[in-house]
Amino acid sequence: MAEDREPPPLGDAAQTDFREVEEGEDLFVSTVSTAEQLSPTSPEPASLPAEDISTNSNGPKQEILLDDDQEDLFAEATEEVSLDSPEREPILSDGPSPAITPVTPTVIITPRVDAMFDRSLDEDEEAEENGDTFDMQITVSDPEKVGDGMNAYMAYKVTTKTSLNLFSRNEFSVKRRFSDFLGLHSKLASKYMHIGYIVPPAPEKSIVGMTKVKVGKEDLSSAEFVEKRRSALERYLMRTVNHPALVKDPDVIQFLENTELPRAVSTQALSGAGILRMVNKAADAVNKMTIKMNESDAWFEEKQQQFENLDIQLRKLHASVESLVCHRKELSVNTASFAKSAAMLGNSEDHTALSRALSQLAEVEEKIDQLHHEQAYADFYLFSELLGDYVRLITAVKGVFDQRMKTWSKWQDAQVMLQRKREAEAKLQYANKPDKLQQAKDEIKEWEAKVQQGERDFEQISKNIRREVGRFEKQRVKDFKVVIIKYLESLVQTQQQLIKYWEAFLPEAKAIA
């Protein structure tokens, strides 16, 4: 029967811009009066794309081509409605979804999905495992201060080299400011987090650090701040384009390729939007404490506990490495002071051999000072930054688990409301009020569709999170392996250089007579 069939999904390309289509499609559950149900009575919550539901789930099974399946899908319906029918237009309302912040469309959605979105995420991952990795290299360079005073900002040159056919050229460069990076992350998070995708977080704002740069205070701390931010922005972009779904997003392509980019708004920490974000975070924290989810999947329960423990240990290690970096910098400063004092003592020494030995000791200490400085640099940019990135990434992972809980809660709320509607119908039947009975039946059908959609949404986000966590774990092990090897190599090289310096100085010390 037509009521047992599922409507065709719109795919990834349409999940953001026309979210209510999927809800509208549930209105085809009834075969009696299709045209009647096409007029929406209340705003519907946004639903998840059903591109990856497995054959064992209760949701839509596989990706369906819109132009091939709609005829068979509604063959038994009393009144056939096509995707191009003007009766379907009311479904595509512009009203915001109650659960998800609407995103401004960046491309025009056509019945035929654009070629760059043809492959599913599963196919992308399979190609990646077989060695067909994304050929992209992004560098962020040439930080430049634009403007004066508190209105000044830093602009960065973003250079992309790639052989992917998603882009019009193989190499191109654009200028971007920090707020543009924050705006990109905001768009991606609103599109993908609610369906279970792990969106790499952008670097955090630093009011103190940027204020020093704005007022023109040229010192070592300002230069270090700019370099740290440049490096963090580069790593953020690389993590984003390494995600098989995000790299094909129109906003990512526009950010990397278009010379002119619309100004990102609502990214200031002290703006009204910034305060609203803080309020929303506090509300989410309260909701998280009040929602009691009966977790029936042992895998999710285990992973949530694992990420909680991993978050705690990563933060502790990150704090220890930060302390180590400060220690090496202090050691470098003290070594330089020691070298200066040894040189002054050598100049005032009358004994020739001792004076020469002290002078050479000062030279060795100056070289060791440089080694300590370089090692502190390696401690920070190789190890500390990796830990900081993963502390923020773990927060993003925990965020998708929270989104799953919200999806479950929405599903349960729909079930509760459906039960209430059925009880109301029973009361009307008992009171013999046929004039209101039909309206009650229509409301029951509407909430039955919402319950079914909620169940599909929950199954879909659960599957997406499983896949995303698997990809995240593989990348985490790979990243730590590469960085630990580089870090150990830098330590070994430093120690070998120290030995070489002291071995060269030893004969001079022994020659003191």
Side-chain angles (χ1 to χ4, degrees):
M1 295 296 294
E3 62 182 332
D4 295 328
R5 297 176 182 268
E6 299 294 342
L10 294 181
D12 277 344
Q15 66 89 18
T16 301
D17 304 307
F18 300 100
R19 293 174 182 154
E20 295 191 1
V21 173
E22 295 177 10
E23 302 150 11
E25 289 168 347
D26 290 333
L27 299 175
F28 289 103
V29 171
S30 173
T31 61
V32 179
S33 180
T34 308
E36 253 180 57
Q37 299 179 19
L38 282 176
S39 51
T41 58
S42 61
E44 298 276 329
S47 57
L48 299 172
E51 62 179 79
D52 294 321
I53 291 291
S54 66
T55 55
N56 296 326
S57 67
N58 296 325
K61 306 306 178 190
Q62 296 292 334
E63 188 171 1
I64 304 173
L65 293 177
L66 298 178
D67 54 355
D68 293 337
D69 291 353
Q70 67 180 19
E71 182 178 353
D72 295 336
L73 187 61
F74 305 113
E76 301 176 43
T78 304
E79 182 176 356
E80 184 177 25
V81 181
S82 68
L83 291 177
D84 298 327
S85 171
E87 296 176 3
R88 190 175 180 85
E89 293 177 1
I91 301 177
L92 304 177
S93 64
D94 294 328
S97 166
I100 302 168
T101 304
V103 180
T104 304
T106 54
V107 292
I108 298 176
I109 305 301
T110 61
R112 181 185 178 279
V113 182
D114 193 69
M116 67 181 180
F117 293 98
D118 284 343
R119 290 198 307 171
S120 68
L121 188 59
D122 288 330
E123 293 172 340
D124 289 331
E125 289 188 338
E126 182 179 355
E128 190 173 3
E129 290 176 358
N130 294 333
D132 185 17
T133 56
F134 293 109
D135 181 19
M136 286 193 71
Q137 182 61 42
I138 298 177
T139 57
V140 178
S141 60
D142 302 342
E144 177 186 3
K145 182 178 176 181
V146 179
D148 297 318
M150 295 306 296
N151 292 325
Y153 62 90
M154 297 298 297
Y156 302 86
K157 181 180 179 181
V158 180
T159 303
T160 306
K161 296 180 180 180
T162 180
S163 60
L164 297 179
N165 56 9
L166 298 173
F167 302 92
S168 59
R169 292 166 293 169
N170 292 334
E171 183 175 350
F172 41 87
S173 299
V174 292
K175 282 284 188 179
R176 295 288 180 258
R177 56 187 298 177
F178 184 71
S179 60
D180 295 331
F181 291 85
L182 297 182
L184 174 64
H185 173 263
S186 178
K187 293 177 182 178
L188 296 178
S190 63
K191 287 182 182 181
Y192 295 101
M193 280 195 67
H194 71 279
I195 58 175
Y197 287 178
I198 301 174
V199 179
E204 298 175 346
K205 296 180 71 72
S206 175
I207 299 177
V208 176
M210 195 57 204
T211 300
K212 290 182 178 180
V213 176
K214 288 182 177 181
V215 298
K217 188 176 181 181
E218 300 292 340
D219 57 7
L220 183 60
S221 62
S222 297
E224 286 185 354
F225 168 78
V226 172
E227 175 57 24
K228 288 178 182 179
R229 174 168 283 189
R230 182 210 63 78
S231 178
L233 292 174
E234 183 174 291
R235 293 193 309 275
Y236 162 69
L237 288 181
M238 284 304 301
R239 293 190 191 281
T240 300
V241 300
N242 279 334
H243 193 291
L246 302 185
V247 69
K248 298 183 293 186
D249 186 87
D251 286 320
V252 174
I253 296 175
Q254 182 187 40
F255 179 89
L256 296 176
E257 199 170 26
N258 288 13
T259 304
E260 297 295 332
L261 194 68
R263 173 74 182 277
V265 296
S266 303
T267 59
Q268 295 181 357
L270 300 179
S271 64
I275 296 175
L276 181 61
R277 284 194 299 270
M278 295 173 62
V279 173
N280 290 335
K281 286 183 179 180
D284 289 341
V286 173
N287 290 335
K288 185 179 178 181
M289 291 186 291
T290 55
I291 296 176
K292 300 299 181 182
M293 179 178 178
N294 298 322
E295 185 59 74
S296 59
D297 194 324
W299 183 89
F300 280 95
E301 188 174 2
E302 177 185 346
K303 287 297 179 182
Q304 282 183 291
Q305 187 60 45
Q306 173 190 337
F307 283 118
E308 288 290 345
N309 296 335
L310 186 60
D311 186 24
I312 294 173
Q313 299 306 322
L314 279 175
R315 291 179 185 275
K316 289 181 178 179
L317 182 57
H318 183 241
S320 299
V321 176
E322 287 281 303
S323 177
L324 178 62
V325 171
C326 294
H327 170 72
R328 289 199 192 277
K329 289 181 178 179
E330 291 176 1
L331 182 60
S332 174
V333 172
N334 292 334
T335 302
S337 177
F338 176 78
K340 184 177 180 180
S341 299
M344 295 176 64
L345 179 60
N347 291 334
S348 61
E349 179 60 52
D350 294 335
H351 193 284
T352 305
L354 182 56
S355 174
R356 183 169 60 250
L358 289 172
S359 297
Q360 291 193 4
L361 176 61
E363 293 177 3
V364 171
E365 290 293 345
E366 288 178 356
K367 294 177 181 178
I368 294 176
D369 163 35
Q370 184 62 29
L371 285 179
H372 288 322
H373 182 75
E374 292 173 355
Q375 189 57 54
Y377 184 92
D379 289 344
F380 180 80
Y381 287 102
L382 286 179
F383 208 22
S384 178
E385 288 291 78
L386 173 74
L387 295 172
D389 286 349
Y390 268 93
V391 166
R392 292 187 289 271
L393 281 168
I394 293 295
T395 302
V397 174
K398 292 162 66 176
V400 297
F401 279 95
D402 292 342
Q403 290 292 336
R404 177 175 175 268
M405 186 181 298
K406 290 180 181 179
T407 304
W408 177 85
S409 178
K410 191 187 302 181
W411 176 26
Q412 299 304 306
D413 291 343
Q415 288 181 327
V416 171
M417 184 59 69
L418 175 61
Q419 183 63 28
R420 292 178 181 174
K421 295 296 181 182
R422 286 173 174 169
E423 292 174 356
E425 181 196 25
K427 291 180 180 179
L428 289 173
Q429 289 178 341
Y430 180 78
N432 193 19
K433 296 182 178 180
D435 54 330
K436 296 183 179 181
L437 196 59
Q438 183 58 42
Q439 180 182 356
K441 290 182 180 295
D442 293 340
E443 290 179 353
I444 289 176
K445 289 181 180 179
E446 177 185 350
W447 282 101
E448 283 177 345
K450 290 182 179 181
V451 169
Q452 293 174 2
Q453 186 62 53
E455 183 179 8
R456 287 194 296 269
D457 290 350
F458 182 71
E459 291 176 352
Q460 180 65 56
I461 193 173
S462 297
K463 180 177 180 181
N464 287 345
I465 291 176
R466 283 178 177 270
R467 181 182 56 225
E468 285 286 284
V469 167
R471 191 184 66 84
F472 172 81
E473 292 290 348
K474 291 179 182 179
Q475 189 63 43
R476 181 171 65 89
V477 173
K478 180 180 177 181
D479 287 346
F480 271 82
K481 177 183 177 180
V482 171
V483 168
I484 288 176
I485 290 176
K486 288 183 178 180
Y487 182 63
L488 292 178
E489 287 175 347
S490 70
L491 288 173
V492 170
Q493 184 178 358
T494 298
Q495 296 303 318
Q496 288 176 342
Q497 195 65 40
L498 278 172
I499 294 173
K500 186 184 295 184
Y501 289 154
W502 289 123
E503 286 179 343
F505 173 70
L506 185 58
E508 188 66 33
K510 290 181 178 180
I512 300 175

